[in-house]
Amino acid sequence: MAEQYLGDLNVTYVAVALKDVMKERLRQYEKYGLQADLSWGEHIAILGEEFGEACQALMGLMQLDSVKETDCDDPEMELIHVAAVAVKMVELLRLKKEGRL
């Protein structure tokens, strides 16, 4: 696929990233379901945990060592996890707003 740009925005990278987020969101749904029964605090905790893993993975790019053991060595994948959890939260907000939950 040839790269496409809108100004200096690489639209191709955006499209691929969003596709990856969708695949991860579907994987999470298959594994955990919608999780509509969780509290907002629990959703925030899940998002926070994923964000923490993304931060740990990014530390390697900055030549920093984590203060705790981690297997988070792929910053791109960890950020995709963060985005997928955030998308789930948006889904739940919209479903609740529409009265479907």
Side-chain angles (χ1 to χ4, degrees), residues 10-76:
N10 187 319
V11 178
T12 306
Y13 287 174
V14 172
V16 171
L18 291 173
K19 181 179 176 184
D20 291 341
V21 171
M22 177 61 133
K23 283 195 286 189
E24 175 59 20
R25 178 65 197 109
L26 293 173
R27 187 196 69 78
Q28 290 174 0
Y29 178 76
E30 289 172 0
K31 186 171 183 178
Y32 304 112
L34 189 57
Q35 296 183 307
D37 57 326
L38 299 181
S39 70
W40 286 111
E42 289 169 304
H43 288 293
I44 291 169
I46 293 167
L47 183 62
E49 187 260 341
E50 294 295 347
F51 178 72
E53 289 178 355
C55 291
Q56 286 180 316
L58 287 163
M59 290 177 73
L61 296 177
M62 299 180 287
Q63 284 84 39
L64 299 173
D65 293 324
S66 179
V67 294
K68 69 176 221 173
E69 284 289 318
T70 181
D71 62 351
C72 305
D73 59 359
D74 185 350
E76 187 174 322

